[in-house]
Amino acid sequence: MTALDALVRLCPPPAGHSPAVDWAQAERELGSALPADYKQLVETYGDGVFDETIWLLVPDSAHDTCDLRARTTERDEVLAGLWEVGEEKPAGLLEAGARILPWAFDGFSGAFLYWLARPGQHPDEWTVLYNEGQGPLWEPHDMGCLAFLLAVLTGTAETEYFGYLHDVLKPTEHRFAAADQVLGRP
């Protein structure tokens, strides 16, 4: 069973919510190819939120909150400002040509999930980075976004974060809500 099969079994996608994404255009605008597992995730779920917490960013979302390109631009500007005033960069970004790209965020804490894209590294090999959002801490996870999301939802992720999904929310069923369902139609 693949990670996507396991995620779909754990947290069924909404019926009829399969967005058409122009991946070539999105990758041109971002200046980078994107991981295959992320594309599968987006094509299966679209923009929206897992367990009322983890918002998936999608190219060309009708909602700026969930738009991959808009959030990439925003995060680049925010982080550049923080690093300019002395906040420490994650170790992987000290490598020449390395960059980070956001793929999801935590709607409760303001934390972001990024990929660490290193020069010469295939997107399917990118590391997931968790940034707490309201502070300088970065937590690396040597796995793809789909495996990380599945680990978080099942409570098996080796992370200091997301424990409240199980300690507070205690989901008996996991659910995904499309952005239009939560935010309304734009």
Side-chain angles (χ1 to χ4, degrees), residues 16-17 62-63 178-186:
H17 186 71
H63 303 276
D180 284 353
Q181 201 178 352
V182 177
L183 303 172
R185 294 198 186 270

Side-chain angles (χ1 to χ4, degrees), residues 31-85:
S32 177
L34 293 166
D37 67 335
Y38 168 73
K39 292 176 183 178
Q40 291 175 326
L41 189 58
V42 167
E43 290 167 354
T44 303
Y45 289 92
D47 55 358
V49 60
F50 290 89
D51 286 351
E52 301 176 3
T53 303
I54 302 171
W55 287 84
L56 182 61
L57 302 179
V58 173
D60 295 324
S61 172
H63 303 276
D64 284 345
T65 300
C66 299
D67 185 67
L68 178 65
R69 285 177 284 222
R71 294 297 246 175
T72 298
T73 300
E74 173 207 45
R75 299 313 304 160
D76 285 349
E77 291 170 4
V78 166
L79 292 172
L82 290 172
W83 294 330
E84 190 175 295
V85 297

Side-chain angles (χ1 to χ4, degrees), residues 121-171:
Q121 191 177 43
H122 190 276
D124 293 342
E125 298 169 341
W126 290 350
T127 298
V128 168
L129 287 176
Y130 174 94
N131 176 246
E132 66 182 338
Q134 300 296 321
L137 298 179
W138 293 82
E139 186 181 77
H141 297 273
D142 192 20
M143 62 181 71
C145 63
L146 188 50
F148 182 75
L149 179 60
L150 182 60
V152 166
L153 294 180
T154 59
T156 61
E158 293 182 22
T159 178
E160 296 295 321
Y161 308 98
F162 295 114
Y164 61 88
L165 282 176
H166 302 280
D167 299 338
V168 176
L169 298 178
K170 298 180 182 170

Side-chain angles (χ1 to χ4, degrees), residues 168-180:
V168 176
L169 298 178
K170 298 180 182 170
T172 55
E173 287 186 14
H174 296 276
R175 65 184 206 102
F176 178 86
D180 284 353

